[in-house]
Amino acid sequence: MSADRQNLVEAVLTLLRAIAPEVEAETLVPERPLRQQVDLDSMDWLNFLVSLHERFGVNIPEADYAGLVTLKDVVDYLQAKLG
Amino acid sequence: MIEFKLPSLGADMDEGTLLSWSVKPGDAVKRGQVVAVVDTSKAAVDVEIWHEGRVGELLVQPGEKVPVGTVLARLLEPGEVAAPPAAAPPKPVAAAVSAPAPAPVSAAQQFAQPRNAAAAARHPVSPSARRRAKELGVDPDNVSGTGAQGSVTLADIEVAARAHGAAAPVAAVAAVQPSPATALDRQKEMRKAIAAAMSRSKREIPHYYLSETIPMQAATAWLQQRNEDLPITERILPAVLLLKAVTLALRRTPELNGFYRDGQFQPSAAVHAGVAISLRGGGLVAPAIHDVGAKSLEQLMRELADLVKRARAGSLRSSEMSDPTITVTNLGEQGVESVFGVIYPPQVALVGFGSIVSRPWVQNGEVRALPVVEATLAADHRASDGHRGALFLVELREILQRPQSLADACAAPGTNQGAQT
């Protein structure tokens, strides 16, 4: 994993922990649906996306929500947007 | 002279620990101002005052645990001059501790005494509360009322009786640390509080349950279109549409919105929707969003987001804890399709929603895949019947087929037909 991507993962996890403080990075499987591993309701999930939007300045249209399921999805998405 | 009492912060709370005062003697206070922070089993609650005046005397100190209804402070009304301190009667806590439990005979003698008319007028006592008071040997005119206009309710009598009885030393004089409870303590306490409220509900409330599958194609399509061009911070969640729809549907069946108290149903003109919010680490709270019918979807979204955040942070206001008139629970977040709830007393109904899921649906004679949601109603059979409950769910279904009406409806508070308090 590149250093840039590693930093991005760390930043995403930090934002996730602001919503779900109990999250442990070691136990998260990046390819599995995030909301199955972390107990996030729709308000938590929206707040998580809002925090990504604020932290990285990316616009996340609602149509893209369906593609954001796993931690890997989220990081890939951000990486593509931040290009 | 205004007595500022510890308000009831929900059916599962009958005492609280004063953590801190936000005012001091001499301060002017206005309606809605937060004047104290009280620790309950569920959260540290900002307690608001609903009178205007000037703080006279603070009667309870940080660290003291007191029953609901205890006078926390005395306030002077605007223009009132401080009375000589000697005139102040002892606070109920002290009385509860120092006085031995009254024998039935002395209680009867107390009742035989003519009551001071002015004192009685200040503390109206409901007939059922008076009967219960007689059974328990409590003088209702010495009990602090938490009902409407400070009236003494059945619950107040029971609290007072407990304070007089075995629980008194614990409830009244426990010198606890003025620091908030630890997370583990809080969790234990919350478990106990939920157990008490839910046991009471299942013991006292004859529940009936109904369910209806509601097509959500119109609502989700409308929402998608609305959210499409908006920045993420202005989008609204389906939960907000459902909340608003419940409120509008209640206009047709006001007997589902209000309280069952003192042996009868008391409807509420406004809908204060208690929103069940699960807490990280377990437990839940259901604080109210006030006057849902009078608020736009945008405002409701902002308030819901704020409420969830504050509930999780353990920072709620007393008015949010004490007066939900109905509860709405969204248990579909992680995938269940239906929830049959336990009513939160003294409310008379709980509306539940499962996940919005894609299911085969027959429309115009053809099977199509449509988004649907299972809406359920748990209602108190003392206040309403299944037929009326069914009308509510049908109305809810119809309203959700016209999502634009949810955005348009922002009626003034208290316009629900037939509902009076």
Side-chain angles (χ1 to χ4, degrees), chain B residues 52-66:
Chain B
E52 203 160 313
R54 192 167 290 281
V55 179
E57 198 185 347
L58 304 178
L59 300 171
V60 173
Q61 300 311 314
E64 277 186 71
K65 192 177 209 176
V66 294

Side-chain angles (χ1 to χ4, degrees), chain B residues 114-372:
Chain B
R115 285 283 137 218
N116 175 311
R122 275 204 307 275
H123 301 288
V125 183
S126 75
S128 59
R130 203 170 275 284
R131 269 197 307 278
R132 186 74 179 137
K134 211 165 182 177
E135 289 166 14
L136 295 171
V138 174
D139 180 355
D141 294 321
N142 283 338
V143 173
S144 305
T146 59
Q149 279 95 45
S151 65
V152 177
T153 66
L154 199 57
D156 295 331
I157 295 295
E158 289 181 340
V159 167
R162 276 205 296 279
H164 275 281
V170 182
V173 292
V176 296
Q177 298 298 318
S179 60
T182 66
L184 193 66
D185 287 348
R186 167 101 71 213
Q187 219 170 350
K188 267 193 196 161
E189 285 298 311
M190 179 173 297
R191 216 52 266 163
K192 261 198 264 179
I194 293 171
M198 296 298 98
S199 303
R200 180 183 155 199
S201 174
K202 283 284 179 169
R203 198 167 54 236
E204 293 179 5
I205 302 177
H207 288 63
Y208 69 86
Y209 305 95
L210 304 172
S211 84
E212 170 76 0
T213 305
I214 298 180
M216 288 292 283
Q217 193 188 26
T220 51
W222 182 86
L223 199 58
Q224 210 172 355
Q225 198 176 15
R226 184 207 168 275
N227 285 344
E228 199 167 24
D229 300 322
L230 291 176
I232 191 165
T233 46
E234 289 172 35
R235 290 176 207 155
I236 55 181
L237 290 171
V240 171
L241 281 190
L242 297 174
L243 193 63
K244 182 80 180 210
V246 165
T247 302
L248 297 186
L250 284 171
R251 291 181 180 180
R252 195 169 170 196
T253 45
E255 62 266 56
L256 298 175
N257 183 57
F259 306 112
Y260 194 90
R261 277 183 185 146
D262 302 335
Q264 61 177 346
F265 174 59
Q266 301 164 347
S268 165
V271 176
H272 305 311
V275 184
I277 299 170
S278 61
L279 302 179
R280 300 209 155 271
L284 83 162
V285 286
I289 294 183
H290 293 120
D291 261 325
V292 175
K295 290 174 178 164
S296 67
L297 294 174
E298 290 74 18
Q299 189 176 354
L300 290 174
M301 179 66 198
R302 280 193 298 275
E303 292 195 14
L304 182 63
D306 177 56
L307 200 61
V308 170
K309 199 194 280 177
R310 286 190 295 108
R312 298 242 166 95
S315 165
L316 293 165
R317 299 190 192 110
S318 54
S319 56
E320 293 164 341
M321 299 295 282
S322 59
D323 68 356
T325 57
I326 186 167
T327 298
V328 178
T329 184
N330 246 298
L331 215 63
E333 298 289 357
Q334 299 296 350
V336 298
E337 285 187 37
S338 55
V339 46
F340 293 91
V342 181
I343 299 166
Y344 193 81
Q347 295 165 39
V348 296
L350 182 146
V351 180
F353 292 102
S355 304
I356 300 175
V357 288
S358 190
R359 288 286 177 268
W361 192 259
V362 178
Q363 201 177 42
N364 303 325
E366 285 181 25
V367 181
R368 299 178 55 197
L370 284 190
V372 299

Side-chain angles (χ1 to χ4, degrees), chain A residues 2-28:
Chain A
S2 72
D4 277 1
R5 188 170 170 99
Q6 186 60 44
N7 287 341
L8 198 54
V9 170
E10 282 304 321
V12 169
L13 285 173
T14 302
L15 295 174
L16 188 60
R17 266 192 294 264
I19 290 158
E22 74 279 8
V23 166
E24 287 171 25
E26 309 82 66
T27 60
L28 275 186

